[in-house]
Structures are given as C-alpha cells and as structure tokens.
C-alpha cells in the first residue's frame, strides 16, 4: 500500500479540509472521523483533519487497536508525515484527548517537531484518579448499549438499530480497552501551550479533573467552560470553533 493510500485511510476528509494550519482531530471511544465532518471549513485559517482509526466507518473491517502504544506509534508516523515541515496542532475529545496527549509525548520521544498547541476536551487529566464505572471490556451487549445511551452523543434511533450496534460495538470495546489498559507514566510536562474545553455536567470528567491538565505543560494554559454534558463541544460547535481559533491565535 502506498503512503498516499495509507494517508487517505487515516484522513478520509483531507480533500475537504481546506487550507491553513493542519489540526489533527482524534475522536472519542467508538467514534470516527465523521464526528468532525461538520467542522470542515468552519474554523478560518485551519485545515481540520479528522482522523479515522481502524475498526470503524469505512475501516470497520480492519482490526481496531486495543492498546495505547501501537496506536500512538502509528499516529506519530501519520502526523509527522502529513505535517512535514509545517506547523500543526492536535485536538482530541474524550479517549481522543488521552490519545492526543500520548501522541505528543511519543513525538517528543522521537525528537520530532512538536505541535504548536495541544487541545483536549471531555477527559480527566492524565495521572489523576477517575471513575468511569464498571470496566467496559467486560460488559454485555445490553450493558454497552445502556452505557452509550446514558453517555449521550448517539441518537436513540441508531441505538435501536441492531445492525448499527453490531457495527460499532467492536470499536467501542477496543477503544475502552485502550483506556482501561493504559498506564500513565510520569514524564516532564510538555513545552507547548495546552487548551482544555471542559463541560459543567460531564459524567466522564469532572470540571476539576479537567482543570488539572495545567500540570502537563510548562507553557500557556487555557481552560474554557461549556455548559452541558460530555458531547457539548459538538452540540455547541460554534462556541467550540471560536475557542479553537483563539487557541491557535487566529482572527
């Protein structure tokens, strides 16, 4: 497979991303690149690049990653190859935030160019206790569907569709395996600015737990608060886009 074909699998909306600063967007557990599709062209000066991990949407036949290390290794190759010598930024929501954090640390370990900023949302700060409830990897199908319903972000008509549930559950289980097998290892804080978009009523990440991300950077730290739940960055996308433009110092 050529590098162009590999890139097109990981970045399926690249041709629609527009011009500007590349912003690699990593989705939540079970989510795919289409979660960010409505963001394309909505942040002036930014080329939004939704990332498509294997095991979902057009890549649903590929085995999904179940552990953090091989996932961020593959992502580092993708990001560095796509960015080249251009400045770039990284954003992640929920599990994607944790993956984005470890991705940047992997890039640092490779002594490669770091992003201009890391932006995260919907995730407790690494290294701090969090309570996600019972392990998802051991849940039954009804329990998994109930969890997705309680978390929000997935329309009820889709959760009632047996074929849709069959398609997404392997990725959901694999993604939660990435999180539940993840072990935080202390390293020096990142020498890049960090922005957090926290929600007031997020059942997966309290506002306080998200504010502790400030310990992961030696540079500028910004915390913005949205009123609502776990997927508020998507439900209030206009506000999210404004914060993204501010974080990336765009007019």
């Amino acid at each position: 497979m050529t590098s162009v074909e590999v890139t097109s699998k990981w970045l399926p909306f690249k041709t629609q991303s527009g011009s500007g600063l590349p912003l690699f967007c990593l989705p939540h557990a079970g989510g795919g690149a289409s979660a960010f599709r409505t963001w394309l062209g909505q942040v002036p000066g930014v080329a939004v690049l939704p990332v498509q991990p294997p095991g979902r949407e057009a890549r649903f036949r590929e085995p999904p990653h179940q552990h953090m290390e091989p996932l961020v290794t593959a992502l580092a190759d993708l990001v560095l190859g796509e960015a080249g010598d251009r400045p770039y930024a990284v954003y992640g929501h929920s599990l994607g935030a944790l993956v984005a954090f470890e991705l940047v640390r992997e890039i640092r370990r490779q002594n490669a160019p770091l992003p201009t900023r890391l932006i995260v949302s919907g995730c407790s700060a690494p290294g701090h206790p969090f309570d996600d409830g019972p392990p998802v990897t051991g849940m039954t199908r009804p329990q998994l569907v109930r969890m997705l319903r309680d978390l929000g972000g997935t329309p009820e008509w889709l959760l009632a569709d047996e074929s849709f549930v069959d398609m997404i559950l392997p990725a959901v289980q694999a993604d939660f395996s990435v999180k539940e097998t993840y072990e935080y290892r202390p390293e020096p804080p990142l020498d890049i600015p960090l922005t957090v978009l926290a929600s007031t009523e997020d059942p997966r990440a309290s506002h306080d737990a998200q504010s502790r991300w400030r310990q992961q950077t030696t540079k500028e730290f910004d915390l913005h608060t949205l009123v609502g739940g776990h997927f508020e960055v998507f439900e209030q996308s206009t506000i999210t886009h404004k914060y993204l433009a501010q974080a990336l110092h765009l007019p």
Side-chain angles (χ1 to χ4, degrees), residues 12-13 25-37 50-53 56-57 175 234:
F13 301 122
C25 297
L26 302 172
H28 54 280
S34 62
F36 300 100
R37 187 167 191 168
V51 175
Q52 187 76 283
R56 67 219 65 212
E57 297 182 2
D175 284 354
F234 298 106

Side-chain angles (χ1 to χ4, degrees), residues 58-71:
R59 303 185 68 184
F60 79 96
R61 295 187 186 278
E62 300 177 48
H65 286 281
Q66 300 190 45
H67 300 282
M68 183 69 76
E69 291 79 4
L71 174 57

Side-chain angles (χ1 to χ4, degrees), residues 67-86:
H67 300 282
M68 183 69 76
E69 291 79 4
L71 174 57
V72 297
T73 298
L75 286 170
D77 289 344
L78 170 76
V79 168
L80 294 174
E82 176 63 24
D85 58 1
R86 296 178 295 166

Side-chain angles (χ1 to χ4, degrees), residues 74-133:
L75 286 170
D77 289 344
L78 170 76
V79 168
L80 294 174
E82 176 63 24
D85 58 1
R86 296 178 295 166
Y88 67 96
V90 177
Y91 170 86
H93 178 67
S94 194
L95 173 66
L98 197 59
V99 174
F101 171 69
E102 285 298 335
L103 165 62
V104 175
R105 298 214 297 180
E106 172 60 24
I107 291 172
R108 180 173 65 178
R109 285 190 286 269
Q110 295 184 20
N111 294 314
L114 293 174
T116 59
R117 183 175 291 261
L118 171 62
I119 306 169
V120 298
S121 60
C123 183
S124 298
H128 289 276
F130 60 88
D131 182 13
D132 273 352

Side-chain angles (χ1 to χ4, degrees), residues 145-201:
V145 172
R146 188 179 309 117
M147 180 205 68
L148 293 173
R149 180 176 289 116
D150 292 343
L151 194 58
T154 307
E156 180 60 33
W157 65 272
L158 284 176
L159 291 177
D161 185 332
E162 293 288 330
S163 60
F164 172 78
V165 172
D166 287 340
M167 184 174 66
I168 68 167
L169 283 190
V172 170
Q173 291 172 311
D175 284 354
F176 274 98
S177 174
V178 170
K179 185 173 185 180
E180 291 167 3
T181 61
Y182 169 71
E183 294 184 13
Y184 171 74
R185 295 180 176 87
E187 292 182 14
L190 298 169
D191 291 325
I192 60 171
L194 198 160
T195 293
V196 175
L197 307 181
S199 297
T200 56
E201 305 297 330

